[in-house]
Amino acid sequence: MTLKASQCKLLNSMISAYDRTIAVLHGTAREMGFRAAIRQVEADLIRRALSTHAGNQTLAAESLGMDRTTLIARMKALRIISGPSQFPEAG
């Protein structure tokens, strides 16, 4: 299986997020709680997927293995706002 550059970038981001999760669970999670730590990591993954795909929710959802409607629901639950100003057009 060959991965596209955007998929490799997202995969590396996910691995980094996983590493941070482990660190958080051993440190900060004791202060903020397990659920809050997981929400923080989930929000980070969603933001990175959106950034990787220039705010395109359909592509971001696909790269995360979920439907676009699920992504939108998770964004609402995590209070993630995605707008054009966050993803300037490549020029």
Side-chain angles (χ1 to χ4, degrees):
M1 178 170 86
T2 304
L3 296 176
K4 296 178 183 176
S6 63
Q7 291 173 316
C8 288
K9 184 177 178 182
L10 183 60
L11 181 59
N12 286 333
S13 294
M14 293 173 80
I15 291 169
S16 295
Y18 175 79
D19 289 341
R20 284 192 306 279
T21 302
I22 298 302
V24 165
L25 293 176
H26 284 96
T28 310
R30 292 181 189 141
E31 298 169 13
M32 62 191 259
F34 178 79
R35 291 183 194 273
I38 295 300
R39 287 175 60 90
Q40 181 178 347
V41 171
E42 181 181 12
D44 186 45
L45 286 172
I46 290 171
R47 285 187 192 100
R48 287 175 184 268
L50 288 166
S51 178
T52 297
H53 297 289
N56 185 314
Q57 294 176 349
T58 301
L59 293 177
E62 287 175 4
S63 70
L64 292 169
M66 63 177 71
D67 292 330
R68 188 177 68 77
T69 54
T70 303
L71 174 66
I72 291 169
R74 295 308 306 144
M75 289 172 63
K76 286 180 182 178
L78 297 166
R79 296 186 178 129
I80 297 172
I81 299 170
S82 174
S85 63
Q86 293 177 321
F87 310 103
E89 293 181 35

